[in-house]
Amino acid sequence: MIYNSRQQNIAQLIENDPLKSKWKNWKWQLRHAVKSLDKFEELLGVQFSNSEREELKKTFNKFPLAITPYYLSLIDKKNFRNDPVFKQSFGGIEELITLKSEHEDPLSEERDSPVEGITHRYPDRVLFHVSNICSMYCRHCTRKRKVGDIDFVPSKEQLKKGIDYIANTPQVRDVLLSGGDPFMLPDDKIDWLLSEIGAIPHVEIIRIGTRMPVVLPYRITDNLVSILKKYQPLWINTHFNHPNEITASAKEALAKLADGGFPLGNQSVLLADVNDCPRIMKSLLHKLVQNRVRPYYLYQCDLSEGLSHFRTPVGKGIEIMESLVGHTSGFARPTYVIDAPGGGGKIPVMPNYIISWSTNKVVLRNYEGVITTYKEPDRYEQKMCDRECENCNLDLNLNEVDETRAIGIEKLLSDTDGTISLIPEDNERILRRDEDAG
Ligand SMILES: *Cc1c(COP(=O)(O)O)cnc(C)c1O
Ligand code: SF4
């Protein structure tokens, strides 16, 4: 049912005698987004105590409240305090708690920002923040302090700075549009932005990160899809965290995107008391793949301010991965990652499967606990790569192959780079050597 009785009731409270077509109009949904405690109480039909109201108001002064009527309609009123949609959208006074280990910008996105709006962290791809607003403000948002702070949609001139940076940086082959939510921009601005970025010769793919299919699926209109179709290859990533979010409306939005020909991915955040359970997670992942969405990442909750109540130990994520590997389809399984505080990027984390190793055998264990051996080849001719590709027996007769030099751990494995160790900048032993020499 696209328009059920719960939704009808909410629509009735917003507007006398609303038409069903209004409920499915994304602009109507945005206009009536719930942004105050009073409105929330009225539409859900619940009441908080006076003391709780005071604290909640302080919370919403610090981190703004916004819930689309559609997303609100997913909350089970009878058991609302325990409801996963309630916890993600309404939050609570725990958000006022700030720990020493938390930061406003835990991933240092601003320090890695060459121009306003761009985070350039990895060699070949950039994150481009094209909007500061969302239709629903996730209480667990990693950009909590920034998103929704001031309702801010960058002008074309401001976006142009980011576009120019990409155009002037030839190593960028992958542009990830994020925000806020890029689909908060009007259709004509999205069209313009994609045409500008799509026209840059070295940009091979564009990706869009959006939570619209989850919180405002009616945003995925035929008009939007027909605009997006002009800019293939375009990858779209969304953000479902709980199986309850996969409703008839969400399915319809996902089907439109999948039929439009966009590969769909999903990034979930591991959230205490929302989805920190192998059974809930598996149900979510299965529903995603049924709707042609490939689970991409499962994020360990970041060290952003006010998120301590959402964080689980890393062990919980590993336990969930253990329950997935081998137990379900390989493509239903996301990669569990910790986004390194300070800006190191995403680090994949897995249970251990290699138990031991000799010169010709690897000892592994499988998901059932069976311990097995893989016999390695007795003879393997080492390819000592000196980058003299003409004399190599591999055929590298290709244009446009990667020319970049090895960095990081890759450097330690390289035959052409003489580096034997990576040493922290302030290593005392090495500093002492330099002093002695000097
Ligand atoms: C996540 C992220 C990307 C994209 O990373 P992938 O692993 O390629 O999905 C790019 N830039 C920044 C700053 C990111 O946080
Ligand atoms: S949709 Fe994304 S950017 Fe917007 S509030 Fe949620 S997590 Fe933050």
Side-chain angles (χ1 to χ4, degrees):
M1 272 289 286
I2 298 280
Y3 193 53
N4 59 29
S5 62
R6 217 191 264 172
Q7 298 176 333
Q8 250 164 341
N9 287 341
I10 292 171
Q12 194 74 49
L13 288 168
I14 291 173
E15 201 171 288
N16 260 336
D17 213 14
L19 297 165
K20 177 178 167 184
S21 61
K22 281 198 179 168
W23 179 265
K24 292 189 73 177
N25 178 319
W26 69 279
K27 290 183 179 161
W28 185 90
Q29 287 274 339
L30 278 185
R31 237 185 347 267
H32 295 289
V34 176
K35 294 187 173 169
S36 74
L37 185 48
D38 295 342
K39 200 79 197 165
F40 182 87
E41 287 184 326
E42 186 198 336
L43 294 192
L44 195 66
V46 298
Q47 211 152 22
F48 297 96
S49 70
N50 279 343
S51 60
E52 211 175 355
R53 285 178 59 91
E54 285 313 302
E55 291 295 298
L56 285 169
K57 279 187 179 156
K58 275 188 224 161
T59 310
F60 301 142
N61 275 337
K62 191 165 180 193
F63 305 114
L65 177 76
I67 315 178
T68 56
Y70 162 79
Y71 199 57
L72 183 113
S73 79
L74 307 190
I75 299 174
D76 176 12
K77 174 184 157 179
K78 289 193 293 296
N79 187 20
F80 75 94
R81 284 185 196 268
N82 229 353
D83 188 282
V85 170
F86 173 80
K87 285 179 185 163
Q88 289 182 71
S89 60
F90 186 82
I93 56 181
E94 305 93 330
E95 292 177 30
L96 295 171
I97 303 167
T98 306
L99 305 182
K100 270 221 185 82
S101 51
E102 297 177 333
H103 306 277
E104 267 190 39
D105 178 21
L107 309 177
S108 300
E109 291 187 328
E110 310 217 350
R111 267 196 290 157
D112 285 338
S113 174
V115 298
E116 199 192 320
I118 296 266
T119 303
H120 193 173
R121 164 157 310 148
Y122 296 104
D124 65 341
R125 54 208 190 277
V126 293
L127 191 62
F128 189 3
H129 304 265
V130 298
S131 129
N132 193 39
I133 51 178
C134 294
S135 58
M136 189 285 283
Y137 288 124
C138 307
R139 306 317 295 183
H140 55 275
C141 179
T142 188
R143 307 204 181 98
K144 223 170 156 112
R145 231 28 217 291
K146 197 120 208 255
V147 163
D149 209 13
I150 8 152
D151 280 0
F152 168 73
V153 183
S155 64
K156 279 192 180 176
E157 288 68 42
Q158 280 163 316
L159 291 172
K160 199 79 179 101
K161 284 186 208 157
I163 296 165
D164 288 344
Y165 176 80
I166 297 166
N168 293 323
T169 316
Q171 64 267 38
V172 176
R173 43 162 286 283
D174 172 4
V175 175
L176 168 46
L177 304 181
S178 175
D181 200 314
F183 288 159
M184 286 298 275
L185 300 178
D187 287 359
D188 57 341
K189 196 121 162 228
I190 293 173
D191 198 355
W192 170 81
L193 183 64
L194 290 173
S195 71
E196 292 281 316
I197 299 170
I200 301 171
H202 54 265
V203 173
E204 297 171 2
I205 54 166
I206 304 176
R207 300 192 242 180
I208 296 180
T210 176
R211 213 177 177 197
M212 289 295 188
V214 188
V215 296
L216 183 47
Y218 315 126
R219 175 66 184 102
I220 311 304
T221 58
D222 294 336
N223 192 48
L224 179 65
V225 172
S226 69
I227 290 171
L228 300 177
K229 269 179 150 170
K230 296 190 285 180
Y231 304 103
Q232 294 278 26
L234 185 70
W235 293 63
I236 297 179
N237 257 343
T238 185
H239 174 179
F240 285 91
N241 284 331
H242 193 280
N244 288 3
E245 295 169 333
I246 303 189
T247 63
S249 300
K251 286 178 184 173
E252 195 177 284
L254 293 172
K256 273 190 187 172
L257 293 172
D259 290 344
F262 312 108
L264 302 178
N266 185 69
Q267 322 200 140
S268 298
V269 185
L270 181 56
L271 297 170
D273 291 328
V274 173
N275 60 12
D276 54 340
C277 154
R279 296 177 73 188
I280 292 178
M281 197 57 82
K282 208 189 264 182
S283 158
L284 169 67
L285 301 170
H286 288 173
K287 286 190 175 186
L288 287 168
V289 297
Q290 281 171 46
N291 288 284
R292 292 179 277 174
V293 183
R294 168 81 155 89
Y296 183 47
Y297 283 141
L298 170 64
Y299 284 94
Q300 173 67 12
C301 186
D302 281 328
L303 291 168
S304 294
E305 237 181 280
L307 297 190
S308 53
H309 59 294
F310 274 133
R311 262 177 239 125
T312 66
V314 172
K316 182 48 81 175
I318 294 184
E319 180 192 337
I320 288 175
M321 293 311 293
E322 184 75 65
S323 77
L324 298 174
V325 177
H327 298 272
T328 190
S329 322
F331 60 80
R333 186 173 83 218
T335 304
Y336 175 44
V337 291
I338 302 180
D339 218 334
K346 297 172 189 74
I347 301 171
V349 185
M350 278 275 267
N352 291 326
Y353 291 94
I354 294 189
I355 289 183
S356 196
W357 213 335
S358 76
T359 55
N360 65 353
K361 271 187 197 172
V362 190
V363 181
L364 306 141
R365 61 98 172 174
N366 81 346
Y367 73 103
E368 302 164 305
V370 170
I371 295 181
T372 187
T373 49
Y374 175 82
K375 169 82 175 54
E376 297 194 287
D378 290 328
R379 257 190 230 111
Y380 173 72
E381 202 183 325
Q382 198 74 358
K383 276 179 206 63
M384 296 298 284
C385 177
D386 48 10
R387 288 245 176 163
E388 302 252 340
C389 302
E390 304 82 61
N391 306 329
C392 180
N393 51 10
L394 294 178
D395 183 10
L396 189 90
N397 232 341
L398 304 166
N399 299 320
E400 299 176 54
V401 288
D402 186 11
E403 284 294 345
T404 52
R405 304 263 309 277
I407 58 165
I409 306 294
E410 192 189 3
K411 214 163 155 167
L412 300 182
L413 296 174
S414 161
D415 297 320
T416 40
D417 191 298
T419 312
I420 40 173
S421 42
L422 299 178
I423 301 164
E425 233 170 74
D426 56 353
N427 181 291
E428 285 191 23
R429 186 170 53 86
I430 302 296
L431 289 177
R432 211 160 41 232
R433 278 192 199 164
D434 291 349
E435 273 165 29
D436 292 350

